Amino acid sequence: MPAPHSPLSGPVADVLDGVERGDELGVDELVTLLSARGPEVAAVAELADQRRRKIGGDTLTWVANRNINYTNVCTFKCKFCGFSKGPLSLNLRGTPYLLTLDDIAQRAKEGWDLGATEVTLQGGIHPDFDGDYYIDVTRAVKDAVPDMHVHGFTALEVTEGARRLGEDLETYLQRLKDVGLASLPGTAAEILDDEIRAVLCPDKVDTDEWLEAHRAAHAIGLHSNVTMMFGAIEEPVHQARHIVRTRALQQQNVAAGRVGFTEFVGLPFVHMASPIYLQRKARRGPPFRENLLLHAVARLAYGELIPNVQASWVKLGLDGTAQMMNAGCNALGGALMDENISRAAGASHGQAMTGERFAEFAERIGRPLAQRTTNYQLVGA
């Protein structure tokens, strides 16, 4: 039978035909798909949605979580960040703050009482932190709410925490796991290509260090996710390298029988209060075509290796998210009570969602909905 995109001809059609034959997409093929135009975009999205249906069915999932951004004080100087406060960013929105351990525990308990099954912990790299701070934070949450899933600390945070204590990364991560850490967010990835990182975040972990942090986490039984902040300064080739590098790590996980990465999350660049945009050195975030293609191409590239592709309703809004759900996405992410990082950069799509609002959204687009845990187990199943 002819494929739905068979009327197309040219490089994009050739790559899509290869996907249907089971070919693995390399950097060149991914660049071809990410550069699609006109009817080609619809063909890429359609094939991605077919793959989504085959791998995971039609059900949309969401997790009830509370975001705790414990400080916005940061010694690092990421050029895209409108959230952190340092000597060069005090003129941007917000004032410096640092939550106490009691504050963090109270917010975790409040989240649990509101139905959250997860707390997401991340913040700036405060100059006064030693590596034990993150262990103390994890312990405070678990003492307050023993059954809460602690999803916390970026590759930058755990790498810096281990460095400040003079410990190797795997030993440090094991200490975090021992007090209750269950998974790592993929944030701090931005674009996993050092050509781009040299501009966006020159003093942050580099590509190999980000991958090593997640490799070490996976080795001791912590799972994590892949994120990509796209639409700032990178080109399709950089996005493609990011996908290929994270896919290679996940292939190692699968070969070793580990969960590794549970999901891919696209994070469109929010430009409004971003320093690099205010300096006129970045784009105004990705256009709709790029948003659609990035999520769809991720679905085609990762396949069953990473079975979940999540759209960020905080950054896309619900109308944009609805379009992503027809382009290979199956996950809505979290309720994100008290999300501050995207809002600090200028996002305007709200601070929290509820199960009822997610249900209304799913009904509007004609898809079933289920609440899940962080590791994609259905709540109540």
Side-chain angles (χ1 to χ4, degrees), residues 165-185:
L165 290 175
E167 295 182 359
D168 69 89
L169 192 53
E170 195 163 315
T171 298
Y172 180 64
L173 284 165
Q174 185 64 56
R175 290 180 63 209
L176 281 166
K177 183 183 179 185
D178 289 345
V179 296
L181 184 67
S183 59
L184 270 64

Side-chain angles (χ1 to χ4, degrees), residues 45-360:
E46 184 176 356
L47 185 56
D49 216 43
Q50 290 178 13
R51 290 301 165 96
R52 181 270 304 163
R53 196 173 296 112
K54 180 180 178 181
I55 292 170
D58 285 330
T59 300
L60 307 180
T61 64
W62 68 285
V63 62
N65 66 341
R66 180 158 201 177
N67 238 49
I68 303 178
N69 305 126
Y70 36 79
T71 185
N72 63 351
V73 177
C74 191
T75 61
F76 287 77
K77 303 176 181 65
C78 299
K79 302 295 180 59
F80 59 86
C81 183
F83 169 74
S84 68
K85 298 292 114 185
L88 301 180
S89 58
L90 293 176
N91 59 316
L92 299 178
R93 68 179 66 188
T95 55
Y97 72 85
L98 172 63
L99 300 181
T100 67
L101 293 179
D102 287 342
D103 291 333
I104 294 168
Q106 180 181 353
R107 293 187 185 199
K109 180 63 166 58
E110 288 171 354
W112 180 263
D113 292 342
L114 290 168
T117 59
E118 169 199 307
V119 289
T120 304
L121 297 164
Q122 50 191 344
I125 309 295
H126 197 288
D128 295 338
F129 288 175
D130 62 16
D132 285 329
Y133 174 81
Y134 302 113
I135 292 168
D136 293 340
V137 167
T138 305
R139 186 183 289 112
V141 171
K142 294 296 282 187
D143 285 349
V145 193
D147 293 330
M148 184 72 85
H149 181 108
V150 179
H151 179 63
F153 315 125
T154 67
L156 174 61
E157 289 170 297
V158 298
T159 299
E160 189 68 8
R163 186 191 67 79
R164 292 185 182 189
L165 290 175
E167 295 182 359
D168 69 89
L169 192 53
E170 195 163 315
T171 298
Y172 180 64
L173 284 165
Q174 185 64 56
R175 290 180 63 209
L176 281 166
K177 183 183 179 185
D178 289 345
V179 296
L181 184 67
S183 59
L184 270 64
T187 38
E190 325 321 344
I191 295 291
L192 292 173
D193 189 278
D194 288 339
E195 179 183 350
I196 298 302
R197 300 181 79 77
V199 178
L200 284 179
C201 46
D203 57 349
K204 207 170 192 173
V205 287
D206 63 20
T207 296
D208 287 343
E209 288 170 329
W210 188 95
L211 291 168
E212 180 55 33
H214 287 264
R215 184 181 293 109
H218 300 161
I220 64 167
L222 297 172
H223 60 84
S224 65
N225 57 37
V226 179
T227 64
M228 182 195 297
M229 188 199 76
F230 64 101
I233 63 170
E234 81 289 349
E235 300 293 336
V237 66
H238 305 110
Q239 298 171 353
R241 292 171 185 164
H242 180 115
I243 291 171
V244 167
R245 286 163 176 158
T246 50
R247 183 180 64 193
L249 177 52
Q250 185 67 348
Q251 287 168 333
Q252 295 173 22
N253 287 321
V254 171
R258 295 190 288 259
V259 173
F261 295 121
T262 55
E263 64 198 340
F264 170 83
V265 188
L267 300 173
F269 173 56
V270 179
H271 69 281
M272 286 77 81
S274 174
I276 195 170
Y277 174 75
L278 295 174
Q279 295 166 1
R280 301 183 179 181
K281 295 178 181 178
R283 296 191 279 145
R284 297 170 60 89
F288 175 77
R289 178 193 65 82
E290 188 175 345
N291 269 309
L292 199 73
L293 284 171
L294 193 283
H295 290 86
V297 170
R299 168 64 72 185
L300 296 176
Y302 292 121
E304 295 185 4
L305 287 168
I306 302 179
N308 302 293
V309 178
Q310 181 185 131
S312 173
W313 65 265
V314 172
K315 297 179 186 295
L316 291 164
L318 288 181
D319 288 342
T321 300
Q323 298 298 318
M324 302 306 126
M325 292 301 150
N326 293 319
C329 292
N330 66 300
L332 286 164
L336 287 177
M337 310 167 199
D338 292 332
E339 195 284 329
N340 291 314
I341 294 174
S342 294
R343 292 189 304 121
S348 57
H349 295 300
Q351 190 173 355
M353 287 283 279
T354 63
E356 290 77 13
R357 289 185 66 195
F358 278 135
E360 292 169 1

Side-chain angles (χ1 to χ4, degrees), residues 11-34 44 47-48 51 239-245 247-248 251 293-303 305:
V12 170
D14 292 343
V15 174
L16 293 178
D17 288 339
V19 171
E20 294 194 316
R21 290 193 303 268
D23 296 349
E24 182 176 87
L25 299 175
V27 169
D28 290 344
E29 291 80 13
L30 292 173
V31 169
T32 296
L33 295 185
L34 290 165
V44 174
L47 185 56
R51 290 301 165 96
Q239 298 171 353
R241 292 171 185 164
H242 180 115
I243 291 171
V244 167
R245 286 163 176 158
R247 183 180 64 193
Q251 287 168 333
L293 284 171
L294 193 283
H295 290 86
V297 170
R299 168 64 72 185
L300 296 176
Y302 292 121
L305 287 168

